[in-house]
Amino acid sequence: MNGLTGKQGERDGRPLANRRAVLHGAAGIAVLGVAGCAGGPTMVSNDPVPTPQQQPGLAPIGTGPVQVAMLLPLTAQGNAGITGQALRNSAELAISEIQGAQVTITPFDTAGTPAGAQAATQQAVQLGARAIIGPLFASSVIATGQIATGAGIPVIAFSSDPNAAGRGVYLLSFLADADISRIVSYAVSQNRRSFAALLPATAYGQVAEAALRRTAAERGAQVVSIERYEADAVRIQEAVTRMAPVIAGPQARADSLLIPDNASALGPIASALAVNRVDVNRLKLLGSGQWNDPGVRAIPTLSGGWYPAPDENGFRSFSARYRARFGSEPPRIATLAYDAVTLSAALARINPGNPYSAQVLTNADGFSGIDGIFRFRPDGTNQRGLAVYEVRGGAPSVLDPAPRSFTGT
């Protein structure tokens, strides 16, 4: 996270053409096209092994022989700590649904800080962890990666900041690049050829702009106007007013308007569009994964707009099981921890000698979990198979289903 917010599918384990898919356990991770690899060395340390089970909430989860560390902001203040506990709960749920899991997941508390992440990573190295799941925030992921990659331990982290990724540090999160690429590509396929964009003046907005320009160029479309705004109703109104000649009236040049933001910004943007007499029946409004939110879909101006998101069937099923076990609603990000743990268990079963090598983790066929198909790029970022939805009556309606494999994508 840390400045970037954002917001997927092969679900039945059927083999792809000339590949094989292996489905492990009730957790439902399909490992697509993973070939066996030679066993690799394990880390040996003479340092004292920490005893995290003596700390509240840090008891190991599972009893498998392959050690995997999980770094979470469990004692961080506010929403970060709440999210950290939900991610830990998701790990527990995943292990409970995998028969004979070959991993032990050991949580470590980062307190939501880079220094805490460094200390937790050092403990994970001493423990003999074969992989690290987490941390959550970009600065913590960077701090963890500096230690973990030097020790030869891959990291599967939850930050949505692509700058936190790198060789050996893989982001499982929902990334702006994938969102924008999916929605722009779909819009072009529907004969939308001229794009304008209202973007937050943030790092997320910069990533969204780069993805828009690249995808439009690849698809033979144009970007005719971009305006940036600060998170302030007056600044938003000014940005929309500056853009109005391009998106409203007889001289309008754009047929689509990308607005990748959340409900707090989209409310004022909707009002500004109305003030400037923008015809949203002519101008197609496009969103990012942040539109996958009832608060966004309730904004009347956005009715008919399109946005990318994972297939929601997986999350609904996951949420029901989470509620039954923990008595509360999971945050949307909770599926990332579930999928990371399930992936670690599936790979440990398939190839216990060297389960988390770069060759395995960056397999081009990818993997499938709660949120559909995903694969890691060698640079640590990811690609996801996303569906395209339309806002209808405040609810999502599928326009284009999520792909079931990466073949042809």
Side-chain angles (χ1 to χ4, degrees):
M1 291 186 172
N2 254 28
L4 290 188
T5 57
K7 213 306 26 78
Q8 264 175 95
E10 178 85 24
R11 295 291 305 157
D12 55 11
R14 290 179 297 174
L16 305 176
N18 300 319
R19 304 282 183 173
R20 64 185 179 92
V22 184
L23 187 64
H24 283 283
I29 275 277
V31 183
L32 308 179
V34 175
C37 300
T42 59
M43 184 168 296
V44 178
S45 172
N46 294 321
D47 295 325
V49 175
T51 54
Q53 63 271 22
Q54 295 175 0
Q55 304 174 49
L58 299 186
I61 304 167
T63 58
V66 178
Q67 289 287 341
V68 175
M70 191 171 198
L71 276 54
L72 301 171
L74 295 169
T75 60
Q77 296 298 309
N79 189 59
I82 295 171
T83 301
Q85 183 58 53
L87 294 172
R88 188 218 167 275
N89 290 348
S90 298
E92 180 182 318
L93 179 61
I95 291 297
S96 74
E97 295 182 344
I98 303 171
Q99 185 175 5
Q102 298 298 298
V103 296
T104 294
I105 306 297
T106 302
F108 293 92
D109 180 27
T110 68
T113 68
Q118 286 181 327
T121 305
Q122 290 167 345
Q123 288 183 302
V125 172
Q126 292 172 352
L127 180 69
R130 303 287 296 279
I132 292 173
I133 296 172
L136 179 59
F137 302 112
S139 57
S140 295
V141 174
I142 292 169
T144 287
Q146 290 170 345
I147 298 172
T149 55
I153 302 173
V155 178
I156 300 175
F158 304 133
S159 170
S160 57
D161 183 344
N163 294 309
R167 290 192 176 274
V169 180
Y170 305 97
L171 302 184
L172 186 56
S173 45
F174 305 105
L175 301 179
D177 185 272
D179 276 4
I180 305 307
S181 177
R182 176 65 163 119
I183 197 61
V184 172
S185 294
Y186 178 76
V188 172
S189 77
Q190 302 303 302
N191 296 315
R192 299 283 170 170
R193 299 285 179 178
S194 182
F195 294 86
L198 286 165
L199 303 174
T202 62
Y204 181 84
Q206 293 173 1
V207 174
E209 178 179 351
L212 168 62
R213 291 189 182 280
R214 187 195 71 249
T215 306
E218 290 172 350
R219 301 287 177 170
Q222 291 183 310
V223 178
V224 297
S225 180
I226 288 180
E227 290 289 345
R228 301 166 188 81
Y229 56 83
E230 303 290 341
D232 172 86
V234 173
R235 298 291 183 266
I236 288 172
Q237 176 70 58
E238 291 172 349
V240 175
T241 299
R242 290 194 300 269
M243 181 175 278
V246 179
I247 59 176
Q251 304 302 316
R253 293 183 288 137
D255 58 29
S256 304
L257 175 62
L258 177 67
I259 321 172
D261 214 329
N262 57 31
S264 63
L266 289 167
I269 288 173
S271 298
L273 291 173
V275 167
N276 283 277
R277 301 180 183 279
V278 176
D279 182 1
V280 294
N281 293 316
R282 182 200 68 82
L283 183 72
K284 179 58 66 177
L285 302 185
L286 306 175
S288 64
Q290 294 177 88
W291 285 34
N292 191 27
D293 172 9
V296 171
R297 296 191 295 263
I299 299 172
T301 300
L302 303 184
S303 182
W306 299 340
Y307 67 92
D311 185 317
E312 284 299 294
N313 290 326
F315 182 70
R316 281 193 289 269
S317 175
F318 166 81
S319 295
R321 303 196 308 276
Y322 186 102
R323 285 193 303 271
R325 188 175 184 93
F326 302 108
S328 60
E329 290 289 336
R332 189 62 185 83
I333 195 177
T335 56
L336 301 184
Y338 185 100
D339 279 355
V341 169
T342 309
L343 176 62
S344 72
L347 295 179
R349 182 187 294 269
I350 292 170
N351 192 43
N354 192 16
Y356 311 123
S357 69
Q359 179 185 358
V360 169
L361 289 172
T362 61
N363 183 275
D365 285 338
F367 314 99
S368 178
I370 294 292
D371 292 311
I373 60 171
F374 63 93
R375 62 183 175 187
F376 296 119
R377 294 183 171 115
D379 67 0
T381 60
N382 71 58
Q383 291 177 290
R384 285 188 173 273
L386 302 172
V388 173
Y389 292 85
E390 183 174 75
V391 180
R392 293 182 186 171
S397 178
V398 176
L399 289 180
D400 193 36
R404 298 175 63 84
S405 81
F406 284 108
T407 303
T409 61

